[in-house]
Each structure stands twice: as C-alpha cells, then as structure tokens.
C-alpha cells in the first residue's frame, strides 16, 4: 500500500486519528453486542476517535442496516475530527428539503449541513432521505467524495491515470457512471477486494464501520513524509523537496533518459520514495536508427519534433539518395522511412537537417531479407473429400496443412517465398505460397486412410532453412464447437453498439473450431451453420458467415446489416452437423438526445463558399454531443430552419462541432437551430461579398527555368500566390496577370502572352501585375527568375513514380535542384534504364516514359502462373555529371480500379484539380443515381472525380457498382433494388418530397451523398 500511495499527503489530524484507529485505546467505548462481530475492532477504533456512537441501551447494533442518516452522522463526525467546522447557520438555513431546521434531531441537522457544504452528500432532488437504507453503490460514492475532501486524494483520477483494470464482475448493475467509478476506486485503494460488489445490496452498520476504518488505516496511514517536488538537475541528480519543505540532493545510479517521463525510486535518510520526472533536453539528437523490417527504417529522437515540417530527412546509399515515404509517430518522437519495396542489402546513412545547426547523421546496415524460420502449423492434414466405402481416399483427393515463413525481422513472408519440398517433381507435395498451405495429393493421399501418416519437408534453397513434420491424414473439417468472441471493428477493437453506430463498421466475431480442435477460418467450412436473429426490429444481420480481417487476423464473422433502434437481440447459431449451438446477445444502447444548443459566429462567411458555424449541443445531463450520427438523427438530433441537419453538413474538429453551409448571396442571413426538445438558438451572419483576386504576393516557389526547355508561361494557378480582399490565399486561382521585364536583360525575354524565354545563365527581375476586369492594375510584385543551362544544379531527384500498370506508358520526371527551385530535365539531359522482373537486360527508357510489358512480370507458383506485382528499378544517369539516381517502383497487371472518389458537379473529362466536391443533390422519384442533379439555381449532372491505384485522376460519369438508399422516413419512399446498381426510390402517393442518404460504391470506395427525392417535373 505504501508503494502504491506514497504520493498522497494528508494532514496532522489524520495522522493522529490513524494512531488511534490502528490500536484502539484501553478507554475505548464498550458495546454489549459486538463481541462476536467481525467488525469489532473497526467499531472500537472509530468509537475511540468519537466518530461512531451506540444506542442508549449500550448496544451498537452492528447487524442493523445502515441508513443514510447514520452515514451522515458518521461522516460528519469524521470531518469534525479532521478540523472541519460545522456551519454556523446549520440551524437557520436548511440544506435539504426533507430536513427542516425545526427537526428534533439537531445532531443530524448539523452534520447534514457539514457534509452537504463539504460536497460529500449531494442528496437526491435536494432531499437527504435520511430514513432510507443506504445501498453499497451509494456508500461507495459518498466515501470516495469524503476521501477527496479529507485527504485531497482523487481516487477516480488516480486509478484512471494508472490504467488500473478492475476485476469486479457486476459493475453493470450499478446505476450511474459516478457509482461505477466509485466502486472501482475503492477496489484500487484496497478498500474492497470482492469479485461481486453487489451494488444494489444494503450494508450493515458494522460493515460501514469497517469500510470507514479501512479508509483511515489504508489511506490515512500514508500521512508520512512524501515527495512534494522533484527537480532534475542533470541526468543523474535530483533536487527533492519533501512535504515538510526540507530539500535533499539525490544522486541516481542510472542516468535518466532524455525528454521521457520516468519513474525513479530513491532513498532519503533511509526511507524509500519515488517520483516521476522528466529530464528535459532542448537540443534534438538522434537516439537510435535501425531497420525494423526489410522496407522500413525507424529513426528515434531524444525529444518530440514539434514542427516536423522543419525536419529534412534523407536516406543515402553511398551518394545515391533513396526515395522513401516519411511516417511520423503520433508523439513525434520517431519517424519511419518506408521504401516502396524492400531495401537492397547495403550500408545506409540517415541525415536529418533543419532541427539543429549541424546535420544529425547516423549509419544503419540493412541485411538482405532472408528466410530464418519455417513452421508447419498443424499435426494433421485435412482432406477435401469424404472417404470411399472401403475407407480409402479416392483419386483427386487433396489434403492441406498450413505453414508460415518468417524473415530475420519476424515479418511473415510466406506469400513472397518459394519453398522446395520433399517431392522433387513438385506434384504430390506442393507449397502454395499464395495461400500458405502445403497441398498433398496424388500417390501420397490416394488409397490412404484416415490416420495414415505422411512426411512433409519444406526448405528454402537460398538459406538452407528447413522444417520437417509427419502429419496425419484427417477427415474433412466441420464445425464442432461454436463460440462468439463479441462485437469488434476491423481494427480489432471491441465495440459497444448504440443506435447511432454504423452497422458496416462492426462484426459479430466467431470462434469456430473443427472436430480436431483447430480454428476454422474458411467460410466454406461454416456453410452448415444456421444463423437466427430473434429481434429484427432492433437490428438485422447476415444469414451467412464471411471472412474479414479483424486486427491483423482473418476471422469468421456474421456481418451486421443495419441497426434500427436500441435494445437487446439474441443471435442463435446452430451447427447442422452435430447440433452444437451458441446464443449471443447483441446489445444496442440508446444514444444521447439533443437538449440545448448554442451557436457562435463563424470566422468568416463569404458568399458562394462553404462556411463553418460553431455549435455546442448538449444532452439532458449537460454532456456535450459531438457524435455526428446523433446530431443528424431525425428524432434525437438538431434541425436548422425546421429541417433535420444531414450528417454531411456537420464537421467535428478538435472536439468542436461545426454546421457547414453555403450562403448564396452577400448580406445578413439568419439561421434558426432547434434541438429535439424544441430549444432554439438563432444566429445572424454577416455574409461578405464573393471572394475576388485582390493582391498578388509573389511566387509559390522559386522560379528556375532551363535554356533547354520551351518558354514558361507564368500563370496565377501554377506560379503565384494570389489573395482575395479578405487576405486569404486563393488556391488554383485563374486570375489574369501581366508579366513584364524590369529593366533590360539578356538572360530572359518576355512576350505579351506572359511567356518567359531563357537565353543564358543568370537572373532577371520580372514585374507581375494582377489585372482587374476593367483592365486597371490593382496589385503588382517583383519576382526573381533564375536561368540555368544545367551546369549549376545543386543536385537531382527522381519524382515519385508510384504504382504502374503493365503495358501502359508512365511518364517519369527527373528534376534538377537549384536554390530551392526545381527544373524538369529534358530527355537529352539524362539516360535512363529499367531492370527487374523477367527482364533479361536493362530496358532503355524512351522519350521519358517507362512501359513495362506484362511478360516482364513475375508469376506465382501455381499451374496457372498468374502475373503478380513485380518490383523494378529505374536507374538514371545525369549526362553532364555522371551522377546516378535510382528509384524502385512496382508494376501490376491488375485492371484500373477506383480507390477513392468524390461527387462533383464539374463536367466529365474536366480538370480534376479544379473540381469541387458536393455533399447534397436532388434525384427525381423513381430514377437511378445516373440522373442525380446538383442543388442550386443551375442544376448540373452529378459526376465523380476518381483516383485509381495507379494515381490516375479523372472526372467521369457516375457508374455505381452498388447503391444503398437509407431513407430519413421509411414511410415516405418505396425502395426497389436496394444494394444494387439500379436501386431506385419512389415517392409514395401522398408525399411530395423526401430526404435520404445514398451510399454509393464505385470501385473499392464507398461514399455518402444526401439527396432530396422530388416528384417528376
């Protein structure tokens, strides 16, 4: 206990009380009915401290149920023993409505005033209810409050800070969160150690005396000297101030790590103390650099890098810069350098500049990825067919057993490693790397019986790593055991569902085992499982088992189809092969209901632009609601102008909710918000005029042009920082500008079309002016342009190539770097080749484009020899300097497929970079999504702006793979073909307009769009 609570400090009065509480004095009160009570010592200790007293007949009644009035007196007397004073107005100002100042029990009256003013008792609806029995959860609450009052110890905060895990099993029976937290706090402090707390049960006077006495002895006993403050002098020295304000210099045996919160134990004058300190070092240092897998190097710093944009991190192999992706940790104390593919075996150097005056540098050695372990995962090989009548396996029967291959980092490399087996012909014993199984067939299975043994040997010819095991042929796997693990999301996190949860984000995870006790992960083996949902009014589920990645493991699940309302639903699972069954109750909690709302002014509101209006919405308990599903709920959410706010019109940033809207015109605009309890908030917004280009500030980045390149046309969109009349930068502005030469120059020339032509090395000054619609110039700036013939570059780089499709041309860009600017080299300035895959010789890059035929791709080990994603290396040699650059890239034979998209009213085949996303649209009753139109005065066809796995961007007509229509009111619409590409929603006869959400799947991405269904014109 002392070690756990050494940080607590209590007063001298507590220390004195502890002394009497631990060893009752000889003069302690004597009660005639406590001799055989388990609580005798606690009662006597408290009586001696004048905290409890008995009845006039000399009894204590330890087995009588304790009332709220009893506890009020006990705690009030305890507070008095701790030098708390009874309020002077206790007999003139009533604290509780059911305990007037005229009551005859003046002792109860004064202690009730004391515990109320001290925050220990709050009462229910301002009533003390002193004659009512006190149950155990109420006792826990008042005791935890009293501990905070007397000892200034917040047990709830302490257990949460220490990540304490409760073992109490019946917390769900407690009424409220405060009650549950108080029970856990008592367990954390060692005041209770039961597995079942029985929150609703009453307790006796004797039991309460023991709880209170344990509080004093377990917590009050810590009234010894404690650490008041611990300051770090250096890595091995602390200056410690104790609670008596004495200062001590402490030398540590082990040096403190830099910029890391650390718990240290030490002694002062023979007594043990501990403190949590941080040895702060302001200058950044590299703490470690190491490879954590074959394609990732982790760089750790001694402190968090607050502004990671200042850290220029590069990875060199010799003098060759490697292309890596930087992934910063959430705490900013480390960064991972991730290669597109595995790094080559070599010595590398990591340089980090921009954080200190000197470049931080460290070397790291990367070994070639190699096989270090092979494991056959089972003792049995399960066949895929039943035996014949003679008990033997027929021709064509295949048995399988799983295996896994790992490299020196512990990474699973099964799918990329080809193994040899004890079958030289590779026909009867085959290692299928794609599936991670050994397939046994032909002579090793045919004619054999269940239980026969088959030897399996797997080995890697490159490293000599091998494994051998004799496996037993076993009957076809069937479901024999059914368990439900719970409801989880794809990240592997257990999910507590509520009526605002998204069904597609959660799964009922199953643990199915076959007759061999092995986990079943093949959904085909679970086809004999009957799934029954007993309450379809609460939620709906799939009636088949599917396989989903939960965390980092493939698991069999029952998918949730929809969550309709709060309540419990029993899911029954029955195996038709052996009758085994399991029942699991899916609980859907009710979410909060919006009760009060306040609205703040937006930072700025400009006509035609999306405006974010801050909202603060609370429930009936005063808790702030940030769940967008709750806020957008038709019954529990908020409305604006009488219409339910769609989820797409809400944003949450750093805990702040915003209502997103677009004002069509400048002027004063009023919005009226309403909660589900009809409370209203109104705001008047001053909408400013439409933004227009007003100021040109300068170049987006240094302007460097080459004498080898065609003239460069200066435009606002590509080169200039343009601001509107409100001082905001206008991205992708197409504002007209005029470019002229300042003075004379033989370095460049400029024509009326703003084309800058390079003539020779040097710099020149240009005047860039912003033109207004009437031709006058409102803003101008002078900028520098540098011209190079390619002999002055500071360095070179290959722009990221990304994933490339086999048989398709992919343009490469090689940049020369000069004074912060980049110039794309012309093809004649470098020579490029590609190696890798099945290329037998370096392939020359022609016209600055790579084009890898699918015949150059590697294939898998199956008989079909399917093409697999293959790594290639682009090697670029700069002709002028001989410098060599390399970049790895992956080529795939897969067809293009959309990975991400957004809805837009921009025209198909338009400029992707200029497309604007829309979140609302209209749809004519009975029509498919191909007929969607944007909202506003000039409705346009809704298209999609897509990005595929190769980085290709385009605006195309909306061709959905599936469409799921979720109506705001099910009574308004008749929906057909829901979940298909041809889903339609038709207004019912008495409905003129309806709201719905469309969940549209295009390729591998699904997006939501709020729509208004309208009648045909």
């Amino acid at each position: 206990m002392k070690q756990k609570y050494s940080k607590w400090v209590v007063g001298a009065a507590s220390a004195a009380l502890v002394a009497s509480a631990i060893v009752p004095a000889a003069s302690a009160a004597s009660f005639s009915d406590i001799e055989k009570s388990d609580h005798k010592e606690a009662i006597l200790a408290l009586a001696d401290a004048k905290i409890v007293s008995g009845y006039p007949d000399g009894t204590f009644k330890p087995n009588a149920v304790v009332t709220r009035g009893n506890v009020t007196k006990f705690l009030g007397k305890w507070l008095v023993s701790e030098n708390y004073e009874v309020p002077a107005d206790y007999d003139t100002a009533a604290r509780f409505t059911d305990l007037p100042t005229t009551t005859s029990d003046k002792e109860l009256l004064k202690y009730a005033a004391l515990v109320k003013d001290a925050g220990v008792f709050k009462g229910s609806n301002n009533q003390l209810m002193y004659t009512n029995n006190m149950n155990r959860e109420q006792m826990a609450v008042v005791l935890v409050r009293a501990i905070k009052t007397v000892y200034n110890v917040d047990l709830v905060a302490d257990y949460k800070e220490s990540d304490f895990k409760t073992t109490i099993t019946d917390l769900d029976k407690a009424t409220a969160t405060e009650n549950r937290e108080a029970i856990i706090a008592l367990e954390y402090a060692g005041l209770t150690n039961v597995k079942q707390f029985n929150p609703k049960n009453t307790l006796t006077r004797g039991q309460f005396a023991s709880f209170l006495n344990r509080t004093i002895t377990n917590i009050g006993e810590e009234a010894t000297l404690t650490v008041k403050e611990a300051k770090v002098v250096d890595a091995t020295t602390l200056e410690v101030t104790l609670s008596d304000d004495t200062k001590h210099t402490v030398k540590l045996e082990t040096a403190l790590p830099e910029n890391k919160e650390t718990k240290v134990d030490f002694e002062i004058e023979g007594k043990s103390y501990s403190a949590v300190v941080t040895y702060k070092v302001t200058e950044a240092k590299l703490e470690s650099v190491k490879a954590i897998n074959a394609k990732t190097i982790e760089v750790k710093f001694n402190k968090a890098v607050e502004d990671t944009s200042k850290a220029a991190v590069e990875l060199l192999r010799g003098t060759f810069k490697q292309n890596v992706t930087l992934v910063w940790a959430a705490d900013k104390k480390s960064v991972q350098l991730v290669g597109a593919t595995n790094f080559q075996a070599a010595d590398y150097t990591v340089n980090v500049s921009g954080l200190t005056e000197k470049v931080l540098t460290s070397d790291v050695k990367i070994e070639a990825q190699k096989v270090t372990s092979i494991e056959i995962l089972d003792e049995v090989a399960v066949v895929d067919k039943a035996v014949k009548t003679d008990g033997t396996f027929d021709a064509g029967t295949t048995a399988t057993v799983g295996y896994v291959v790992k490299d020196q980092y512990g990474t699973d490399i099964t799918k990329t490693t080809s193994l040899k087996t004890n079958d030289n012909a590779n026909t009867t014993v085959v290692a299928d790397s794609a599936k991670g199984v050994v397939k046994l067939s032909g002579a090793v299975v045919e004619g054999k019986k269940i239980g026969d043994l088959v030897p399996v040997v797997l080995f890697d010819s490159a490293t000599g790593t091998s494994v051998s095991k004799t496996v037993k042929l076993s009957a076809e796997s069937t479901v024999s055991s059914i368990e439900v693990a719970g409801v989880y999301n794809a990240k592997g996190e257990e999910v507590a569902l509520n009526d605002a949860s998204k069904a597609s984000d959660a799964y009922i995870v199953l643990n199915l085992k076959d007759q061999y006790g092995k986990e079943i992960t093949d959904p085909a083996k679970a086809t004999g499982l009957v799934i029954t949902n007993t309450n379809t009014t609460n939620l709906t589920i799939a009636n088949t088992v599917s396989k989903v990645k939960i965390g980092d493991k493939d698991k069999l699940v029952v998918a949730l189809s929809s969550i309709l309302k709060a309540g419990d639903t029993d899911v029954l699972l029955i195996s038709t092969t052996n009758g085994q069954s399991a029942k699991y109750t899916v609980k859907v909690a009710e979410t909060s209901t919006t009760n009060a709302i306040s609205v703040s002014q937006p930072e700025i509101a400009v006509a035609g632009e999306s405006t974010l209006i801050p909202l603060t919405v609370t429930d009936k308990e005063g808790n702030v609601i940030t769940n967008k599903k709750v806020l957008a709920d038709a019954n529990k959410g908020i409305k604006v102008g009488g219409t339910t706010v769609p989820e797409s019109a809400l944003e949450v940033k750093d805990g702040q909710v915003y209502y997103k809207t677009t004002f069509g015109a400048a002027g004063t605009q009023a919005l009226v918000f309403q909660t589900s309890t009809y409370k209203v908030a109104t705001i008047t917004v001053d909408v400013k005029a439409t933004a227009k280009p007003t100021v040109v500030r300068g170049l987006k980045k240094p302007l460097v042009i080459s004498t080898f390149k065609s003239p460069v046309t200066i435009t606002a969109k590509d080169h200039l920082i343009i601001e509107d009349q409100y001082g905001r930068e206008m991205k992708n502005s197409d504002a007209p500008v005029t470019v002229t030469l300042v003075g004379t120059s033989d370095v460049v020339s400029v024509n009326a079309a703003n084309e800058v032509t390079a003539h020779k090395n040097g710099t020149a000054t240009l005047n860039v002016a912003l033109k207004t619609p009437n031709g006058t110039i409102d803003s101008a700036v002078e900028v520098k342009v540098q011209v190079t013939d390619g002999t002055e570059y500071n360095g070179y780089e290959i722009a990221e190539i990304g994933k490339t499709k086999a048989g398709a041309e992919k343009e490469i860009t090689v940049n020369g770097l000069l004074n912060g600017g980049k110039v794309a080299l012309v093809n004649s300035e470098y020579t490029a080749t590609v190696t890798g895959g099945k290329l037998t010789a370096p392939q020359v890059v022609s016209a600055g484009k790579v084009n890898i035929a699918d015949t150059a791709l590697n294939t898998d080990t199956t008989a079909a020899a399917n093409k697999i994603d293959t790594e290639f290396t682009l090697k670029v040699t700069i002709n002028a300097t001989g410098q060599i650059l390399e970049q790895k890239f992956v080529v795939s034979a897969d067809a293009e497929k959309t990975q991400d998209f957004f809805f837009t009213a921009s025209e198909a085949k338009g400029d992707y970079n200029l497309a604007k996303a829309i979140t609302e649209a209209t749809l004519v009753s009975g029509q498919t999504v191909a007929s969607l139109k944007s909202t506003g005065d000039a409705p346009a066809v809704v298209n999609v702006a897509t990005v595929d796995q190769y980085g290709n961007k385009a605006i195309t007509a909306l061709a959905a793979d599936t469409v799921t229509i979720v109506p705001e009111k099910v009574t308004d619409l008749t929906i057909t073909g829901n979940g298909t590409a041809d889903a339609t929603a038709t207004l019912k006869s008495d409905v003129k307009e309806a709201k719905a959400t469309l969940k549209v799947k295009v390729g591998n991405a699904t997006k939501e769009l709020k729509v208004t269904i309208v009648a045909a014109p």
Side-chain angles (χ1 to χ4, degrees):
M1 288 300 298
K2 287 187 178 181
Q3 184 177 5
K4 180 184 286 187
Y5 301 117
S6 61
K7 64 181 179 178
W8 293 346
V9 181
V10 299
S14 293
L17 180 58
V18 169
S20 64
I22 296 173
V23 184
S27 60
S30 178
F31 302 106
S32 62
D33 58 348
I34 67 170
E35 189 61 35
K36 295 182 180 180
S37 174
D38 293 338
H39 310 289
K40 175 182 175 182
E41 289 190 4
I43 294 168
L44 291 177
L46 296 179
D48 189 66
K50 306 268 189 302
I51 292 175
V52 301
S53 58
Y55 292 87
D57 62 358
T59 62
F60 183 77
K61 302 188 188 306
N63 297 322
V65 175
V66 72
T67 66
R68 292 171 62 86
N70 295 151
V71 173
T72 298
K73 292 181 180 181
F74 293 165
L75 296 181
K77 291 176 181 179
W78 181 29
L79 290 176
V80 169
S81 74
E82 292 288 339
N83 296 323
Y84 283 80
E85 294 183 0
V86 174
D89 63 347
Y90 80 89
D91 57 353
T92 59
R95 267 51 173 193
F96 299 98
T97 58
D98 61 341
L99 189 64
T101 57
T102 57
T103 183
S104 60
D105 192 343
K106 298 302 180 183
E107 183 182 50
L108 176 61
L109 187 65
K110 69 178 182 179
Y111 290 130
L114 175 55
V115 296
K116 177 67 183 294
D117 289 4
V120 175
F121 259 89
K122 296 180 180 177
S124 177
N125 296 321
N126 210 30
Q127 290 183 320
L128 180 59
M129 297 185 292
Y130 55 92
T131 60
N132 287 10
N133 296 334
M134 173 164 276
N135 63 32
R136 290 170 62 84
E137 64 177 316
Q138 293 168 345
M139 176 276 297
V141 171
V142 297
L143 202 52
V144 167
R145 289 178 188 160
I147 290 168
K148 187 173 183 180
T149 297
V150 174
Y151 297 138
N152 194 28
V153 173
D154 189 338
L155 286 178
V156 173
D158 284 354
Y159 90 69
K160 289 182 178 180
E161 182 182 353
S162 67
D163 285 332
F164 176 74
K165 303 299 181 185
T166 182
T167 61
I168 294 175
T169 60
D170 59 351
L171 287 172
D172 58 329
K173 295 179 181 178
T175 301
T177 300
E178 183 184 14
N179 301 21
R180 289 187 285 273
E181 290 179 342
I183 294 169
I184 297 171
L186 294 188
E187 179 190 14
Y188 168 71
L191 303 182
T192 183
N193 60 3
V194 294
K195 298 299 182 185
Q196 287 191 314
F197 190 78
N198 297 314
K200 299 298 183 186
N201 287 8
T202 58
L203 71 161
T204 66
R205 286 166 56 85
Q207 289 170 336
F208 184 80
S210 288
F211 268 109
L212 183 52
N213 188 56
R214 280 198 296 272
T215 297
I216 297 169
T217 56
N218 287 19
I219 299 177
E221 187 179 0
E222 298 301 324
T224 56
L225 289 176
T226 57
V227 175
K228 182 178 181 180
E229 183 180 37
K231 292 182 179 180
V232 178
V233 178
D234 55 41
T236 58
T237 309
L238 301 179
E239 183 181 276
V240 178
T241 303
L242 296 180
S243 53
D244 63 354
D245 289 328
T246 58
K247 296 185 182 296
H248 306 266
T249 299
V250 175
K251 287 292 184 181
L252 304 176
E253 294 181 0
T254 304
L256 293 168
E258 296 177 359
N259 300 303
K260 183 178 180 181
E261 192 173 76
T262 307
K263 182 177 182 291
V264 291
D265 298 313
F266 50 88
E267 288 188 357
I268 297 176
E269 297 177 354
K271 293 184 179 181
S272 297
Y273 298 89
S274 65
V276 176
V277 297
T278 302
Y279 177 36
K280 294 183 178 180
V281 178
T282 56
E283 186 177 50
K285 299 178 183 178
L286 294 184
E287 195 171 85
S288 66
V289 177
K290 66 178 182 179
I292 60 173
N293 60 48
K295 59 181 293 186
T296 306
I297 295 171
E298 184 178 61
V299 180
K300 288 187 176 181
F301 298 88
N302 65 322
K303 61 187 290 288
V305 179
E306 297 301 333
D307 187 354
T308 57
S309 65
K310 293 182 179 179
V313 184
E314 66 174 2
L315 179 67
L316 302 176
R317 180 167 62 84
T319 59
F320 301 152
K321 183 177 179 181
Q322 308 297 301
N323 284 285
V324 293
T325 299
L326 301 182
V327 181
W328 285 91
D331 62 5
K332 299 182 181 180
K333 291 183 178 179
S334 65
V335 63
Q336 291 183 354
L337 283 59
V338 183
T341 55
N342 292 347
F343 292 119
Q344 294 183 12
D347 291 327
Y348 291 80
T349 300
V350 173
N351 292 329
V352 182
S353 57
L355 300 181
T356 58
E357 290 185 7
K358 294 183 179 180
V359 175
L360 304 177
T361 185
S362 181
D363 296 329
V364 59
K365 185 179 185 66
I366 296 181
E367 298 178 345
Q369 189 179 51
K370 60 185 179 182
V371 174
T372 58
S373 72
I374 307 170
E375 180 184 1
I376 296 175
L377 299 176
D378 214 331
E379 306 290 336
V380 298
V382 180
V383 300
D384 61 353
K385 295 181 181 179
V387 295
K388 296 187 296 182
T389 55
D390 64 357
T392 63
F393 296 117
D394 200 356
T397 301
T398 299
T400 56
V401 60
Y403 74 93
V404 64
V405 183
K406 293 185 178 180
D407 66 8
Q408 65 268 44
Y409 305 103
T411 304
D412 185 343
I413 56 172
T414 306
K415 292 185 177 182
T416 58
T417 306
S418 297
L419 299 180
K420 295 186 178 297
T421 72
N422 49 322
D423 173 23
N424 292 330
N426 201 36
T427 56
T428 60
V429 182
V430 178
D432 184 346
S433 60
K435 296 182 178 180
V437 296
V438 180
K439 294 181 178 179
L440 310 175
S441 60
V444 299
V445 178
E446 295 169 13
K448 300 286 178 63
K449 297 180 179 180
I450 292 175
D452 285 353
L453 302 178
V454 177
V456 177
V457 179
L458 303 176
F459 64 94
D460 174 52
S461 55
T463 62
T465 304
S466 66
V467 66
S468 62
K469 181 176 281 191
T470 300
V471 297
K472 183 187 297 185
L473 297 178
S474 301
E476 187 177 8
S477 175
T478 59
V479 176
S480 178
S481 170
I482 307 170
E483 291 182 359
V484 179
V487 179
Y488 290 81
N489 59 22
K491 296 179 180 179
E493 302 165 334
E494 193 163 11
V495 175
L497 298 174
N498 58 52
D499 54 13
S501 298
K502 190 175 181 180
S504 59
D505 289 343
Y507 305 90
I508 302 172
V509 178
L510 308 179
N511 288 331
L512 305 182
K513 293 184 179 179
D514 62 17
Q515 63 269 44
Y516 309 110
K518 305 299 180 184
E519 184 178 5
I520 297 174
T521 57
D522 182 359
K525 301 295 183 183
T527 53
L529 200 64
V530 176
I531 304 169
T532 303
N533 177 3
T534 63
N535 192 348
T536 56
T537 61
N538 288 350
L539 78 157
T540 59
I541 60 175
N543 58 9
T544 58
V545 173
S546 55
K547 182 164 70 174
V548 173
K549 184 79 75 176
I550 302 294
D552 58 353
K553 294 182 179 179
D554 288 329
K555 301 292 290 185
L556 294 187
V557 304
V558 176
L560 302 183
S561 302
S562 61
I563 297 174
L564 305 176
K565 66 176 184 177
D568 292 353
T569 301
D570 287 337
V571 176
L572 305 179
L573 302 113
I574 304 173
S575 171
T576 56
T577 58
N578 64 1
Q580 287 287 323
S581 64
K583 182 177 80 170
Y584 182 74
T585 301
V586 180
K587 296 181 178 293
V588 178
E590 186 174 13
T591 52
S592 302
T593 298
T594 59
N595 179 58
I597 185 169
S598 61
V599 190
S600 303
Q601 287 290 340
E603 288 187 9
I604 189 171
V606 178
E609 296 184 13
S610 181
T611 300
L612 296 180
I613 299 175
L615 307 177
T616 300
V617 185
T618 56
D619 62 18
K620 293 179 180 179
E621 285 71 41
N623 301 312
V624 175
I625 301 174
T626 58
N627 187 317
K628 292 198 292 184
K629 287 189 174 299
V630 175
L631 295 170
D633 186 271
N635 299 314
K636 302 178 180 182
I638 58 175
K639 295 181 178 182
V640 60
T643 302
T644 301
V645 173
E647 191 174 338
S648 58
L650 295 168
E651 285 192 15
V652 180
K653 298 179 180 178
D654 298 326
Q656 175 64 57
V657 176
Y658 296 90
Y659 171 65
K660 181 171 59 177
T661 188
T662 300
F663 297 105
T668 300
Q669 303 281 354
L671 295 176
V672 179
F673 294 86
Q674 176 185 304
T675 68
S676 62
T677 55
Y678 304 102
K679 294 179 180 176
V680 173
T682 303
I683 186 172
T684 301
V685 181
D686 179 19
V687 182
K688 299 183 180 300
T690 304
K692 60 182 180 180
T694 305
V695 178
V696 54
R697 289 296 182 192
L699 295 169
K700 292 180 178 179
K701 55 185 178 182
L703 180 60
V704 181
I705 60 178
S706 169
T707 56
F708 288 97
K709 302 283 285 186
S710 302
V712 175
T713 302
I714 305 299
T715 65
K717 175 185 174 183
D718 295 331
H719 302 96
L720 302 173
I721 299 172
I722 304 294
E723 292 181 356
D724 63 16
Q725 66 268 44
Y726 310 114
R728 305 174 304 166
E729 183 178 352
M730 302 183 73
K731 304 291 186 181
N732 297 316
S733 171
D734 57 359
V737 296
T738 299
V739 182
T740 55
L741 190 63
V742 176
T744 59
S745 174
D746 57 356
V747 175
V748 298
S749 58
V750 183
N751 63 18
N754 295 341
E755 292 179 338
V756 181
T757 301
H759 299 299
K760 70 175 188 177
N761 287 3
T763 59
T765 302
L766 305 177
N767 180 279
V768 180
L770 184 64
K771 294 194 297 185
T772 58
N774 60 11
T776 61
I777 294 176
D778 280 354
S779 175
V781 65
E782 292 186 355
V783 299
K784 294 288 185 181
V785 57
Q786 182 164 5
V787 175
T788 180
D789 59 5
T791 61
E792 303 173 289
Y793 292 131
N794 306 129
Y796 301 88
E797 69 172 15
I798 305 172
E800 188 71 31
I801 299 173
K803 199 171 190 179
T804 301
K805 189 177 188 309
E809 290 186 339
K810 186 71 171 282
E811 188 171 354
I812 66 169
T813 301
V814 181
N815 292 318
L817 308 178
L818 182 61
N819 298 334
K822 297 180 181 180
V823 176
L825 304 186
V826 296
N827 302 336
S828 61
E829 292 182 274
Y830 63 86
T831 302
T833 58
V834 176
T835 57
K838 292 187 176 181
L839 292 174
T840 57
Q843 177 177 305
V844 176
V845 174
S846 175
K849 297 176 181 178
V850 295
N851 189 340
I852 308 299
D854 65 352
T855 54
L857 300 186
N858 293 331
T859 55
D860 61 21
T861 58
T862 64
N866 299 306
K867 301 287 192 302
I868 61 176
D869 288 3
T870 305
E871 178 184 278
F872 290 85
T873 300
L874 172 68
K875 178 181 178 181
V876 173
T877 303
I878 305 300
N879 293 336
T881 64
Q883 184 175 341
I884 297 174
L885 309 174
E886 288 184 355
Q887 185 178 137
K888 296 181 183 299
F889 63 101
V890 173
V891 180
S892 175
D894 295 341
E896 297 92 339
K897 194 160 189 177
T898 297
Q899 303 300 307
D900 194 15
F901 74 92
F902 59 85
F903 300 100
T904 181
S906 298
E907 293 184 357
K909 298 183 180 180
D911 188 338
Y912 178 96
N913 294 317
L914 296 179
K916 293 184 178 180
I918 61 172
T919 57
E920 297 180 4
T922 60
L923 182 63
V924 173
S925 174
Q927 294 189 357
T928 66
V929 294
S931 302
L932 279 168
K933 294 291 181 67
S934 63
T935 58
D937 296 331
V941 173
V942 174
N943 295 311
V944 285
T946 64
V947 180
D948 65 21
Q949 71 268 44
Y950 303 113
N952 300 317
K953 299 178 179 180
I955 301 177
T956 64
L958 174 54
D961 296 328
T962 62
V963 177
T964 301
I965 303 173
V966 182
E968 186 171 292
K969 295 181 180 180
V970 295
T971 55
D972 287 351
L973 295 168
T974 299
I975 301 173
T976 59
N978 214 356
T980 71
D982 299 320
T984 60
T986 304
L987 295 171
K988 293 191 176 180
S989 58
D990 56 342
V991 179
K992 296 182 179 179
E993 183 179 287
K995 304 286 186 180
T997 299
L998 302 186
K999 298 180 179 180
V1000 181
K1001 183 176 186 292
V1002 177
N1004 289 335
T1006 300
K1007 301 290 183 179
E1008 292 187 0
L1009 182 68
K1010 293 290 182 182
V1011 296
T1012 302
I1013 313 294
V1014 298

